[in-house]
Amino acid sequence: MNFPPVLTAAQMRQFDGDASRATALPSLILMENAGRGVADVLRVRCPGPRIVCVLCGAGNNGGDGFVVARHLAAESHRSGGYDIRVLLATARSKLAGDAAAMLRALAGLPGVSVVEQATASKDDWSRSLAEADVVVDALLGTGLREEVRGTIAAAIAAVNECAALKIAVDIPSGADAETGLPHGLAVRADVTVTMGARKLGLVLDPNVGMGEIEVVSLGVPVVIPVSAGPGAFWVDEGGVRALLPARRGSSYKGDGGHLLVVAGSAGKSGAAWLTARAALRAGAGLVTVASTAAGQVALDAKVVEEMTARYADEGDDADAGSFAAIEKLLARPHLRAAALGPGIPTGPGMCALVERMVTEVAVPMVVDADGLNLMGGEGAPLLAGAKAPRVVTPHPGEMARLVGRSSTEVQGDRVGIARAFAERSKAVVVLKGARTLVAAPTGEVFVNPAVEPALGTAGSGDVLTGVIGALLTQGLPPLEAAVAAVFLHGRAGAVVGRARGAPGAIAGDLPDAIATVRATLSAPR
C-alpha cells in the first residue's frame, strides 16, 4: 500500500538528521524550504494588502517564522502587499544556530519590523495583534513536552482571542505532537501548515484546534526511518483507488465472491440486512445471511437479492446453534469470506458458537458488534488461534471490553491500544470513531480522514462490516480490505450527509452511497 506517512516527533527529528546526511544539504536549506512553503500557503489564502504578525520563539519553529517573514517581505517589496510585523517571544540573545541566521537575514529588509516581546503580558500581546489580518504562529514546535508558561502562554492566549486568521507553522504552539492535546494551553489554528508529513498529533482528534492541514515539501522525500519502528499512514484517495479490484466485462457473480453473514435475530434483523446489502453494493457477487429461525423469517420479508439461511432451529433464546450448519454454508460455491456479529443473540449457546467460528472457520472473517462482546476478555487469544485471518471492528466501548479497560482509557490512547491488541490477537483492528484507525498485527497504523456526523447513527457499523466482508470476498488481503472499506464508508457518510443532512441520515442510506463512491473511485482518470 502506498499512503503518505504520519510521523511522531521523534521520527521527524530522525528524518531531519537522515535527510541532511543523505543529501548533504545543510539544515538551513530544509528550514528555508519549510518557511517558503508556509509563505506560499499564506499568499494563496490571504492575498495582500494585509497586516501579518509573525510570532517567533527561540527554536527552529521560530526560524521557520523568520523565513516566512522574509518571503512575504519580498512579495511586499514587489507589490506593496504585506505589512510584516515579527514579534519575538524571546530575547534576541537567546537565538542560536539556524534560527539566529534566519533572523540576521531579515535585517534591513523594507516592510518588516522586528519587535522583542520577551516579557510581554497577555494585554501587551493583544495590543500588538489588534490590527493583524493574519497571525503566523511560529512560537513552539513539535518538541514540546511540558506546560507552556510565561510570555509564551500569554501570547497563545492573546492569539486565541484575536480575530485574525491564524496559521500555525508545523503544529499549533502548545499542542502535543503525539496526541494533539494542549500542554496547558495551545493555539487554536484555522490552518496548520506542516513540514514534509503530517504529525500524529495533527490527525488523531478532530476536536483539537488544528484547523485545515496543509503539507508542504521540504525538498526531499519523507519516509519513516526503519529504525524508528512501525509507522503510521494517512489514508488518501489515490492509495485507496489503487487497492480496489476492477470488475472485468466478462465477470459473473462468482468472480465477486460469496460472503456468509452470520447475523440477526428476532427484533434485530435490520442489522443483518444492512450488512448484507452493504456487501452487495460494495461488490460481493453473492451474499447469504444465516440467522436464527425467527431471524430468517424476518429477513425473508426484507430481502430480494440476498439469500437467507438458518444456523439453528431453536428459538433465539435457546442454547442451540449448530456449527455443523455453519460448515455446510461455508461449503457453498465461491464462498471466500464471512462476517459475524451484527444483531446476533447473546446467550451461552451463541457464545460457544462464536468461539468456534472465530477459531475454526478457515476463510477470512470480519467480527463486529455482539460477536466481539461475546468474546470479551478472551478475544485476543481466540483470534490469535484462528485458522484464517480476522478483522475486528470495535467501537471504543467494545474495545474497552476486549482489553479490560474503560472507554475513556481507550479514547485517551487510541493508537497504543489498537496497535497492542492487533499485535496480541494477530488480527487487523478497526477502531471506529472520528478518524477511524486501522491497526495491523505488525504494528502499522492507518488513519482514515473521515469526520462525518452522518455516520453517527444506529447501523452504520453494520454497513462497514458488510463492506469489509465484500472486499475480502473479492480477494483483498485483510489489512487492505479494512483500509479501503473504512475509506469508502467515510466517503459514503459525506455523500449521505450532503443529501440528507447529518441529523436526518440513517444507515439504510449508506449502501447506495457506497456503490456511488466505489464507482467514482473505480472510474478511469
Side-chain angles (χ1 to χ4, degrees):
M1 290 190 288
N2 186 20
F3 293 107
V6 177
L7 302 184
T8 65
Q11 287 170 337
M12 193 66 203
R13 285 193 298 273
Q14 185 172 341
F15 163 75
D16 284 341
D18 290 348
S20 293
R21 287 188 293 272
T23 63
L25 290 173
S27 56
L28 272 172
I29 297 297
L30 299 179
M31 183 176 285
E32 176 72 14
N33 291 344
R36 182 173 55 222
V38 177
D40 289 343
V41 170
L42 191 154
R43 288 191 193 99
V44 170
R45 288 178 174 265
C46 304
R50 307 276 178 155
I51 296 174
V52 180
C53 290
V54 185
L55 280 60
C56 296
N60 285 344
N61 199 247
D64 295 338
F66 299 142
V67 178
V68 174
R70 175 161 48 80
H71 280 275
L72 293 178
E75 179 78 12
S76 183
H77 181 66
R78 289 193 295 269
S79 63
Y82 296 103
D83 174 358
I84 302 118
R85 305 173 186 182
V86 176
L87 307 177
L88 282 177
T90 185
R92 291 174 188 255
S93 60
K94 292 187 176 180
L95 293 170
D98 292 348
M102 289 305 188
L103 178 60
R104 288 194 296 271
L106 275 177
L109 288 181
V112 181
S113 62
V114 180
V115 178
E116 186 177 309
Q117 298 198 167
T119 60
S121 68
K122 180 192 167 195
D123 288 343
D124 295 331
W125 284 103
S126 294
R127 282 189 288 272
S128 297
L129 301 177
E131 297 182 312
D133 298 302
V134 183
V135 171
V136 176
D137 161 32
L139 292 166
L140 300 169
T142 59
L144 182 65
R145 291 294 179 269
E146 59 187 25
E147 287 201 1
V148 293
R149 300 181 178 85
T151 193
I152 295 288
I156 291 172
V159 168
N160 286 341
E161 290 183 4
C162 79
L165 179 77
K166 304 167 187 68
I167 298 179
V169 176
D170 209 21
I171 191 168
S173 291
D176 189 279
E178 310 299 318
T179 67
L181 297 176
H183 284 281
L185 189 66
V187 167
R188 295 193 65 84
D190 299 302
V191 182
T192 297
V193 185
T194 197
M195 311 311 165
R198 292 170 179 83
K199 312 306 181 295
L200 201 56
L202 295 177
V203 301
L204 290 181
D205 186 349
N207 294 319
V208 298
M210 305 302 173
E212 296 181 55
I213 309 296
E214 293 211 25
V215 180
V216 297
S217 174
L218 291 173
V220 292
V222 175
V223 295
I224 297 175
V226 174
S227 60
F233 302 88
W234 180 253
V235 181
D236 63 6
E237 180 178 314
V240 171
R241 186 186 291 273
L243 296 179
L244 295 175
R247 185 69 66 87
R248 300 187 304 275
S250 60
S251 296
Y252 78 115
K253 60 187 179 183
D255 290 335
H258 189 170
L259 176 69
L260 173 64
V261 177
V262 179
S265 56
K268 297 181 180 178
S269 60
W273 178 84
L274 286 168
T275 302
R277 176 48 52 110
L280 286 174
R281 289 300 192 194
L286 304 101
V287 175
T288 294
V289 188
S291 191
T292 61
Q296 185 185 19
V297 171
L299 280 164
D300 279 340
K302 288 183 170 71
V303 303
V304 177
E305 293 89 352
E306 302 88 348
M307 296 176 286
T308 69
R310 66 180 66 175
Y311 56 80
D313 290 324
E314 302 294 330
D316 286 359
D317 295 328
D319 286 348
S322 169
F323 187 71
I326 296 292
E327 288 183 306
K328 288 181 181 178
L329 293 170
L330 289 167
R332 289 187 173 187
H334 311 295
L335 203 138
R336 299 177 189 153
L340 167 66
I344 59 175
T346 56
M350 195 68 209
C351 183
L353 183 59
V354 164
E355 290 184 3
R356 288 200 67 182
M357 286 193 65
V358 168
T359 55
E360 296 183 37
V361 167
V363 296
M365 179 190 297
V366 53
V367 187
D368 182 33
D370 280 323
L372 299 172
N373 292 330
L374 289 173
M375 287 192 293
E378 298 302 312
L382 286 172
L383 291 160
K387 290 184 177 179
R390 302 292 184 246
V391 179
V392 295
T393 60
H395 58 56
E398 291 160 346
M399 178 58 87
R401 287 186 280 276
L402 287 169
V403 299
R405 309 278 287 277
S406 69
S407 296
T408 300
E409 289 175 306
V410 170
Q411 290 293 77
D413 185 18
R414 296 173 69 226
V415 170
I417 286 176
R419 181 177 270 156
F421 189 78
E423 291 173 350
R424 285 175 53 220
S425 67
K426 307 295 188 290
V428 173
V429 174
V430 177
L431 181 53
K432 295 183 289 195
R435 301 272 163 81
T436 290
L437 303 179
V438 181
T442 50
E444 290 84 3
V445 173
F446 297 80
V447 184
N448 194 64
V451 182
E452 296 299 339
L455 295 177
T457 185
S460 173
D462 304 328
V463 171
L464 176 60
T465 297
V467 180
I468 296 172
L471 295 179
L472 290 172
T473 70
Q474 293 165 75
L476 266 68
L479 180 61
E480 294 182 8
V483 169
V486 167
F487 187 85
L488 291 172
H489 187 250
R491 278 286 178 90
V495 170
V496 169
R498 287 193 297 269
R500 304 285 191 187
I506 60 174
D509 298 326
L510 291 170
D512 287 355
I514 283 165
T516 299
V517 171
R518 175 154 188 191
T520 300
L521 293 180
S522 299
R525 297 190 69 180

